[in-house]
Amino acid sequence: MPAPTAWQQKSKQKEISSPMDTAELAERTELTELGQQLRVDSVRASAAAGSGHPTSSMSAADLVAVLFANHLRYDFDRPAHPGNDRFVLSKGHASPLLYSAYKAAGAIDDEELLTFRKLGSRLEGHPTPQRLPWVETATGSLGQGLPVGVGIALAGKRLDRVGYRVWVLCGDSELAEGSVWEAAEHAGHEHLDNLTAIVDVNRLGQRGPTRHGHDLAAYARRFQAFGWHTVEIDGHDVDAVDRAYGEASSTKGQPTVILARTLKGKGVESVENREGLHGKPLPDADEAIEELGGIRDLRIRVHEPADARMLHSVPTGHLDLPRWEEGDPEEGVATRDAYGQALAALGTARGDVVVLDGEVSDSTRAEFFAKEHPDRFFECYIAEQQLVAAAVGLASRGWVPYASTFAAFLTRAHDFVRMAAVSGAGVNLVGSHAGVAIGQDGPSQMGLEDLAMFRAVHGSTVLYPCDANQTARLVTAMAGLDGVRYLRTSRGAGPVIYGPDEEFPVGGSKVLRSSGRDRLTIVAAGVTVHEALKAAEALDGEGIAVRVVDLYSVKPVDRATLRRAAVETGLLLTVEDHHEQGGLGDAVLDAFLDGRPVPRLVRLAVEAMPGSASPAEQLHAAGIDAESIAASARLLVEQAIVP
């Protein structure tokens, strides 16, 4: 093996006591030395990997050094300690800095630091809680750390009540993201004085200067407009950084943002404040390390958190779900109504259930929960990215969130859903007013892409109930699942076709009609289940027996039932109130992608762009009502017997 280079060597260990008396610090203080160490280690880690973002790490090194040494309260041996402060690296590409800080805190060693970005390493290019227990949420998709931090701060202020602080380190480039300002307004509205945003204003983005460069006042005006306390500092003056953190901790009634003017690549002349070096290891790591003063092995004793315990009880009780009898009431029950009632009942039985809504709780029926459990209800207004992000933040603190809005509007938050899956966050998302069945409101309000969107999310569960009792059972089941869970509800009332004691296991389905004479199988979910049953009844009167499967679990799908139906009837007809791509039909097709012969499969779905019309007219125009299903079945049966 080649001899190790200078940046791979370890130097003598030294310990810093924390907190330190800044008045007694010399020109080159221990905090400054720690900042230099974080720069050196960021350079070393990126050089070892041959990739990474050392210059973005170097600009924020002093900010992190002072935070970890003097202000963060955290027990690295007990990451679940309820009193721990929470640190979110929103600029996740600066992961070399985070890992270097972990090394200084003794959480990882130097050998592991140099495995950065290598196969099997915990130290990924962007940090995730799936790999490291000290990471609160996956970051790297910019503009997400502060919104999730708002959710964590909400948990601390309104639920956990143990006094921890939430520190979020942002980059200036990501302040161009609208989600940051959704978070800023929400934090100001909620008076989250336990939240501090630290903005590393290093002036340079990926391809060149940022919109506002080093104009700290421009950023300050925006945050002040949302009710934040602002502090503008030189981000390389450790005394100023230390004072700013102290000011943030003592500010009451407002969140605080520290706007720190920094230089990208600080400390190395060949890269400092220069364009074109984003996301690249330094050209000469050995020379850069020498210029930064060489390798150090300083250790910090991070403040221990207060001996905090939950100061409120999390009650549990008997789950008394609402019940409906088959056929009653005559006018039927909307699954959104069943969702709201079941959620309120679940909240009574489980004190860890919290609900968030996007200013449509009267439509999603989350208002039922809000009326019974107002202390665990969070109004997020028309800010769907913040809605999902807050749910992720609450889930990171052990709460079980249900977040609801119109199915169509959840598409705005898709990137947050995607990153929730990267985090391994357990969140329940509920989309109401799905499909053309909502009627006259027209296509802007119709969720017609949501099943595809959520099916594509890693490890997700996708559920689409058709009646009230089924909805209530699935709402309860969601609370015990892992990952991202999605429930699709409908606006209009539908018949109650299941008894209140029927079970609906996730991954299952229900065969509602079958016989030994079945000539095809109609597979439906949600509103089309009722249309399929009416079509099957009409066909039966003509001597055409068909099977009807309620595929309420769209993901995971009931492969066994579908395969059996394919063998026994020879033909599957899927019917969905959703676009053809990625929805129910594709979910059914997935059951046959194991190498066996694919059965004859015909899909009825929404293909044309809808307009405004009544629900019945919408279903008919889309070709997914009972009449259209029956017509398709007749044609398919005739084709099946033609030689």
Side-chain angles (χ1 to χ4, degrees):
M1 294 181 61
T5 59
W7 52 265
Q8 290 174 312
Q9 303 297 321
K10 295 179 68 175
S11 63
K12 183 178 178 181
Q13 180 172 317
K14 183 178 180 182
E15 185 176 88
I16 298 177
S17 296
S18 173
M20 296 188 298
D21 183 359
T22 56
E24 297 177 357
L25 295 178
E27 181 181 349
R28 195 168 185 82
T29 67
E30 288 184 310
L31 281 175
T32 300
E33 284 292 296
L34 178 60
Q36 291 292 82
Q37 174 175 303
L38 299 184
R39 290 187 178 90
V40 167
D41 282 347
S42 296
V43 171
R44 295 172 65 223
S46 300
S51 64
H53 296 76
T55 58
S56 300
S57 300
M58 294 160 75
S59 61
D62 298 310
L63 299 171
V64 171
V66 177
L67 178 64
F68 273 58
N70 278 12
H71 295 272
L72 187 71
R73 299 171 300 172
Y74 198 91
D75 186 343
F76 279 90
D77 292 328
R78 298 173 59 198
H81 191 297
N84 280 341
D85 282 355
R86 302 291 155 181
F87 176 69
V88 177
L89 181 69
S90 189
K91 50 178 286 179
H93 54 285
S95 58
L97 173 60
L98 180 67
Y99 303 148
S100 297
Y102 286 166
K103 175 198 160 185
I108 66 172
D109 59 23
D110 196 72
E111 181 179 1
E112 184 172 14
L113 177 70
L114 299 182
T115 68
F116 175 55
R117 287 186 167 219
K118 290 183 168 58
L119 180 65
S121 173
R122 297 191 298 172
L123 310 186
E124 297 177 295
H126 295 78
T128 70
Q130 299 279 61
R131 299 285 188 269
L132 292 166
W134 316 292
V135 174
E136 303 298 327
T137 186
T139 54
S141 182
L142 293 176
Q144 297 208 16
L146 188 59
V148 173
V150 167
I152 301 172
L154 282 169
K157 195 168 184 68
R158 288 182 49 180
L159 299 172
D160 296 335
R161 304 174 195 158
V162 293
Y164 59 77
R165 296 197 62 79
V166 182
W167 307 87
V168 181
L169 177 60
C170 302
D172 51 348
S173 287
E174 67 181 308
L175 297 195
E177 288 281 4
S179 57
V180 169
W181 302 108
E182 287 186 14
E185 183 166 23
H186 199 74
H189 175 75
E190 293 285 349
H191 305 286
L192 297 180
D193 51 14
N194 60 339
L195 173 66
T196 300
I198 309 157
V199 184
D200 176 27
V201 187
N202 65 24
R203 188 186 73 84
L204 292 174
Q206 177 169 323
R207 60 97 195 100
T210 57
R211 179 178 290 151
H212 299 293
H214 275 140
D215 187 356
L216 301 186
Y219 295 116
R221 288 192 297 270
R222 286 158 175 77
F223 277 100
Q224 288 165 0
F226 290 124
W228 285 59
H229 176 63
T230 61
V231 184
E232 300 173 36
I233 61 169
D234 176 351
H236 300 308
D237 180 340
V238 293
D239 288 347
V241 174
D242 192 53
R243 289 193 299 271
Y245 290 158
E247 185 174 335
S249 298
S250 62
T251 298
K252 302 302 180 186
Q254 297 176 277
T256 295
V257 59
I258 296 167
L259 299 162
R261 184 187 189 278
T262 64
L263 298 177
K264 201 165 186 174
K266 170 68 175 176
V268 176
E269 184 178 2
S270 63
V271 299
E272 183 177 297
N273 202 30
R274 295 178 184 268
E275 297 181 25
L277 296 167
H278 181 89
K280 300 175 182 177
L282 269 58
D284 189 328
D286 289 342
E287 183 178 306
I289 290 165
E290 183 177 355
E291 186 176 349
L292 290 167
I295 296 173
R296 301 152 177 84
D297 198 12
L298 305 175
R299 290 290 183 264
I300 53 176
R301 289 199 298 267
V302 175
H303 284 300
E304 292 185 0
D307 186 15
R309 290 176 297 215
M310 291 287 186
L311 301 182
H312 66 295
S313 61
V314 179
T316 58
H318 174 68
L319 178 60
D320 188 14
L321 283 176
R323 297 168 64 88
W324 295 269
E325 297 302 324
E326 293 180 58
D328 291 331
E330 184 176 347
E331 66 275 13
V333 179
T335 55
R336 61 172 172 152
D337 290 331
Y339 161 69
Q341 294 182 49
L343 193 59
L346 184 63
T348 299
R350 293 188 54 161
D352 58 349
V353 169
V354 297
V355 171
L356 309 91
D357 202 82
E359 206 192 316
V360 286
S361 59
D362 56 337
S363 291
T364 63
R365 301 306 195 239
E367 65 179 1
F368 297 160
F369 183 98
K371 290 175 181 177
E372 293 195 26
H373 312 290
D375 57 322
R376 287 183 276 136
F377 178 79
F378 297 85
E379 178 57 72
C380 294
Y381 301 93
I382 303 297
E384 289 83 9
Q385 294 177 105
Q386 182 57 57
L387 171 76
V388 176
V392 172
L394 288 160
S396 76
R397 299 300 305 125
W399 299 91
V400 180
Y402 285 74
S404 51
T405 185
F406 286 16
F409 305 152
L410 280 170
T411 59
R412 291 187 180 188
H414 177 62
D415 190 32
F416 282 80
V417 175
R418 180 183 70 87
M419 290 299 291
V422 175
S423 290
V427 293
N428 302 289
L429 304 176
V430 181
S432 71
H433 291 62
V436 300
I438 70 169
Q440 291 89 340
D441 282 345
S444 69
Q445 311 297 295
M446 296 172 176
L448 291 167
E449 308 85 5
D450 54 315
L451 295 180
M453 180 177 88
F454 282 100
R455 284 185 62 242
V457 172
H458 175 75
S460 64
T461 299
V462 181
L463 306 169
Y464 187 13
C466 70
D467 96 330
N469 287 314
Q470 189 179 66
T471 303
R473 293 284 182 173
L474 293 177
V475 166
T476 302
M478 292 170 75
L481 301 176
D482 295 325
V484 175
R485 293 88 82 168
Y486 177 62
L487 182 81
R488 192 186 212 222
T489 64
S490 302
R491 179 185 194 178
V496 177
I497 63 174
Y498 295 111
D501 297 316
E502 189 85 22
E503 298 290 337
F504 301 95
V506 173
S509 66
K510 291 291 180 180
V511 178
L512 296 174
R513 291 182 67 112
S514 68
S515 74
R517 302 177 293 105
D518 294 337
R519 301 176 67 182
L520 65 82
T521 298
I522 303 173
V523 183
V527 296
T528 59
V529 168
H530 307 295
E531 300 299 318
L533 287 172
K534 287 186 283 188
E537 187 68 24
L539 291 167
D540 188 61
E542 302 170 19
I544 302 174
V546 298
R547 186 169 302 184
V548 176
V549 175
D550 171 13
L551 201 69
Y552 62 83
S553 181
V554 181
K555 180 186 177 183
V557 74
D558 186 353
R559 291 181 170 86
T561 296
L562 293 171
R563 290 168 180 171
R564 185 165 56 251
V567 170
E568 294 176 358
T569 69
L571 174 62
L572 302 180
L573 173 64
T574 64
V575 189
E576 58 188 305
D577 192 0
H578 185 274
H579 287 318
E580 183 178 20
Q581 295 79 16
L584 189 72
D586 283 356
V588 170
L589 186 61
D590 283 352
F592 301 94
L593 297 182
D594 62 344
R596 70 186 64 205
V598 178
R600 190 178 181 203
L601 173 65
V602 177
R603 297 184 284 193
L604 300 181
V606 180
E607 297 183 9
M609 180 61 69
S612 289
S614 71
E617 291 169 332
Q618 295 278 20
L619 293 173
H620 184 69
I624 56 174
D625 66 340
E627 181 181 342
S628 302
I629 296 169
S632 296
R634 292 186 195 102
L635 179 62
L636 291 169
V637 168
E638 289 175 2
Q639 290 178 346
I641 61 176
V642 172

